[in-house]
Amino acid sequence: MISMKRRLAVTSLAVLTTAGLAACSSDTPQGVTATAPSSSARQGIAGTVWVANEEGNSLTVLDAATNEVVTTLTGVESPHNVQAGADGAVGYAVSGHDNTTIAIDAENYQVSAAAPSGPAPAHVIDTADGTKVYTTNAGDGTVSVYSAPGLEPTGTVDLGGMPHGLRPAADGSIIAVANTESGAVDLIDPATDTKTASVPVGCPPVQVAVDADGTYAYASITEPASVVKIDLAAQEVVGTVAVSAPPVQVYLAPDGRTLLSADQGTEAEPGNTLSVIDPTDMTVRGTVRTGSGPHGVVIDTTGAKAWVTNIYDDTVSVVDLDALEVLETVPVGDMPNGVSFSSRPPAEANAPSIALDIPEPSGAATQKMDQMEEHAH
């Protein structure tokens, strides 16, 4: 049973990543202007950008080439995070209200599968080969494991604390998890779905990035506002860099040469900066002014553009990573959090808004997940 303290701590994941970022214990962003085209990023990049609007109870689907809203998917309650599947055919999301992980068919924008998660699901990812899906459960310190794309529950990893953001190495060697309560990055072996190590990093880590071969991971630290570099073999922090405000998501470019930090700040003192970091020597080589409270960030597969969710003004900033400037600001839903990119162009939608029909997870799946949770503890 979850303690009252834990219940209060996970009532809203948005609280953790907004007002709580500062310590462990207008509609249009100001100063954002688009300029004339000057780089390849402005020519348009084929793909789809998925945005989770946590307070809007919706997902926004953007055309990456035009940055136009294709459609808004409604009916998923409190979606804190979203993940485009490995081949782009599926979008995964979590419902913090319903303790559910869902899969959405990218061709027709309908729910193709739904499965129970643990309490207060935070982030969802899939593996590079698209065969498995993982959801962190902040409410009981576990990670739910599913086969993909049908979301059949296959296991539970007990981490303890409050696991939040997670990402895998592209080679499948490791999954790193930011554990906000323990102040550590936990490491999972995806071959066995077991916790192999816990690396202390600071107070508290919110999200991670992992390089392609699982050599280094990077974690956002809220106090002091910084990003740390972790040697995964040595299991120790080997570098750190200060950023402009308490950061939330970090994202590593596909070539491993650029690390982005969305410096959200707090509701009382919101940030408005995307820090552009050299991951080799851990220095900030540039910044981009975004909207208010940059939270989530993703980079396209060519490394030319980034999309940043601005949690306090309900927009997404589209960033040219060559010129280090905002190309466009796109209104989305209320309190946009997670964001994900797929190189698969979006399917046409038959309406500007589509209501998702989310089935109740089967009794057998729920019972199986409960048994695996009990066994994990």
Side-chain angles (χ1 to χ4, degrees):
M1 180 176 293
I2 305 172
S3 68
M4 180 59 68
K5 179 180 178 181
R6 180 62 56 79
R7 288 178 191 273
L8 292 174
V10 300
T11 297
S12 172
L13 287 166
V15 171
L16 170 66
T17 51
T18 54
L21 279 176
C24 284
S25 49
S26 156
D27 294 338
T28 301
Q30 298 299 307
V32 175
T33 57
T35 59
S38 64
S39 78
S40 60
R42 301 171 190 273
Q43 305 306 313
I45 293 171
T48 303
V49 177
W50 298 75
V51 179
N53 306 306
E54 186 165 13
E55 291 297 318
N57 300 321
S58 65
L59 306 174
T60 300
V61 180
L62 300 177
D63 185 333
T66 63
N67 295 308
E68 295 179 350
V69 175
V70 176
T71 191
T72 299
L73 309 178
T74 64
V76 52
E77 299 289 326
S78 301
H80 186 71
N81 190 243
V82 63
Q83 175 68 47
D87 63 0
V90 177
Y92 298 101
V94 294
S95 169
H97 179 274
D98 297 326
N99 295 340
T100 302
T101 301
I102 64 173
I104 300 165
D105 190 322
E107 278 300 309
N108 57 25
Y109 303 116
Q110 298 298 314
V111 175
S112 57
S117 68
H123 279 235
V124 58
I125 60 166
D126 70 341
T127 52
D129 63 5
T131 61
K132 296 167 77 172
V133 171
Y134 295 78
T135 295
T136 52
N137 304 306
D140 68 356
T142 65
V143 176
S144 298
V145 187
Y146 313 90
S147 61
L151 295 180
E152 175 69 22
T154 60
T156 301
V157 185
D158 185 18
L159 299 180
M162 289 180 66
H164 191 251
L166 77 169
R167 288 206 175 102
D171 68 357
S173 60
I174 201 164
I175 294 171
V177 186
N179 197 313
T180 60
E181 188 173 88
S182 67
V185 168
D186 296 324
L187 305 181
I188 294 174
D189 180 353
T192 60
D193 289 331
T194 56
K195 175 181 174 181
T196 59
S198 186
V199 184
V201 294
C203 175
V206 182
Q207 176 58 301
V208 295
V210 184
D211 64 9
D213 61 3
T215 300
Y216 295 106
Y218 305 85
S220 55
I221 305 297
T222 61
E223 188 179 290
S226 57
V227 176
V228 300
K229 180 177 183 177
I230 306 160
D231 184 319
L232 293 176
Q235 296 177 9
E236 64 181 5
V237 173
V238 294
T240 185
V241 60
V243 293
S244 65
V248 181
Q249 289 199 20
V250 289
Y251 200 92
L252 190 64
D255 64 6
R257 297 179 181 178
T258 300
L259 179 67
L260 301 183
S261 171
D263 303 342
Q264 177 181 299
T266 67
E267 191 167 12
E269 296 183 19
N272 61 2
T273 300
L274 179 71
S275 292
V276 182
I277 299 167
D278 184 328
T280 300
D281 59 14
M282 293 299 285
T283 57
V284 175
R285 64 172 180 239
T287 61
V288 181
R289 185 169 183 181
T290 62
S292 180
H295 178 104
V297 58
V298 71
I299 303 174
D300 80 278
T301 51
T302 73
K305 289 169 69 174
W307 290 261
V308 183
T309 59
N310 301 306
I311 198 169
Y312 299 129
D313 63 16
D314 303 337
T315 63
V316 170
S317 296
V318 186
V319 178
D320 181 331
L321 292 178
D322 293 325
L324 294 186
E325 61 188 12
V326 170
L327 298 171
E328 195 168 349
T329 301
V330 184
V332 288
D334 190 6
M335 193 176 282
N337 278 275
V339 60
S340 190
F341 174 85
S342 163
S343 56
R344 182 183 180 123
E348 292 185 8
N350 56 18
S353 178
I354 299 173
L356 295 177
D357 181 12
I358 303 175
E360 288 283 339
S362 70
T366 301
Q367 183 179 23
K368 183 177 181 180
M369 183 63 73
D370 288 344
Q371 290 172 344
M372 288 187 293
E373 291 256 341
E374 291 175 6
H375 184 265
H377 289 300

